[in-house]
Amino acid sequence: MREETRRQRYDAKLKNAKKYPISLCAINFRADDNLGYLVRSAACFGAERLYVVGHVPERSRIKASSGSLIDYVDIVPFATPRDFVDFAKSEGIQIIAGELVEEARPLSHYDFNFNSHVCLVVGNETSGVPPEIIHQSQVIYIEMPGVGYCLNTAQAANLLLYECVKQYNKSQSIDALSDYL
């Protein structure tokens, strides 16, 4: 049995935890557990914050599905997709939406650009990423060679975050090596 509480373990790990110039944006027009799972994803992958377009439930509703990581991720709400897009433009944030649309590029062939902050947008389970965001985004999709064609929002966010962080770390290693040479 563990001697420390979950909170104590998180606080201890916080001392060495990395934060990346990467954020996650969720479209949450109805109440479901995905927002808590997205908080967990953001915390585990070192995303700086979680933007939420639409409804942000009370903290107690998010806490259980977030693995109690709600206190480690900044949640920034936006009433509408347009509000989020306007904010991202004003802050120089790149919007990269994960969505199954014709113009989307496969994640496995996508190179993230880390010259400015990256925000990965995942859609609502039912309606996806709103057109207002799609039209202002670079759009990527996750290849699924199996019989299914659509992942759960939180699963998609995990894959997008993983690949983005992996590429960021690789870019930093290459930069460090070129500085050395």
Side-chain angles (χ1 to χ4, degrees):
M1 189 163 138
R2 290 190 171 132
E3 298 293 321
E4 298 174 311
T5 66
R6 181 179 288 194
R7 179 69 179 218
Q8 289 169 325
R9 291 191 315 271
Y10 289 156
D11 287 343
K13 189 173 181 189
L14 187 61
K15 296 171 189 168
N16 297 317
K18 293 183 180 182
K19 287 280 188 171
Y20 295 93
I22 300 165
S23 295
L24 189 58
C25 177
I27 310 303
N28 196 45
F29 294 132
R30 62 184 174 93
D32 62 28
D33 286 334
N34 275 321
L35 194 56
Y37 300 138
L38 293 172
V39 167
R40 182 184 293 200
S41 297
C44 289
F45 285 105
E48 288 188 339
R49 65 193 53 86
L50 173 62
Y51 300 112
V52 179
V53 176
H55 176 71
V56 177
E58 292 179 24
R59 182 184 180 285
S60 61
R61 288 228 18 179
I62 300 171
K63 185 178 178 184
S65 57
S66 77
S68 299
L69 287 162
I70 186 76
D71 295 326
Y72 298 91
V73 175
D74 293 330
I75 296 177
V76 181
F78 293 93
T80 68
R82 174 58 43 205
D83 292 340
F84 168 71
V85 167
D86 290 345
F87 169 79
K89 281 185 175 183
S90 73
E91 296 294 316
I93 297 171
Q94 296 177 66
I95 304 172
I96 302 172
E99 186 61 273
L100 296 170
V101 294
E102 193 171 306
E103 66 271 15
R105 294 174 33 202
L107 177 61
S108 65
H109 293 90
Y110 186 80
D111 292 321
F112 289 92
N113 177 345
F114 298 106
N115 290 333
S116 63
H117 189 92
V118 171
C119 182
L120 303 168
V121 180
V122 291
N124 177 277
E125 290 283 332
T126 306
S127 57
V129 177
E132 300 97 313
I133 295 176
I134 290 286
H135 296 306
Q136 300 297 318
S137 305
Q138 296 175 53
V139 186
I140 58 179
Y141 71 93
I142 300 163
E143 304 94 325
M144 292 168 259
V147 68
Y149 66 91
C150 184
L151 291 169
N152 164 277
T153 298
Q155 293 169 331
N158 285 327
L159 290 169
L160 296 175
L161 282 164
Y162 175 81
E163 182 63 26
C164 192
V165 168
K166 181 177 89 174
Q167 286 187 29
Y168 181 85
N169 286 332
K170 184 177 180 183
S171 74
Q172 296 306 297
S173 297
I174 290 170
D175 288 346
L177 180 61
S178 66
D179 288 345
Y180 176 75
L181 300 174

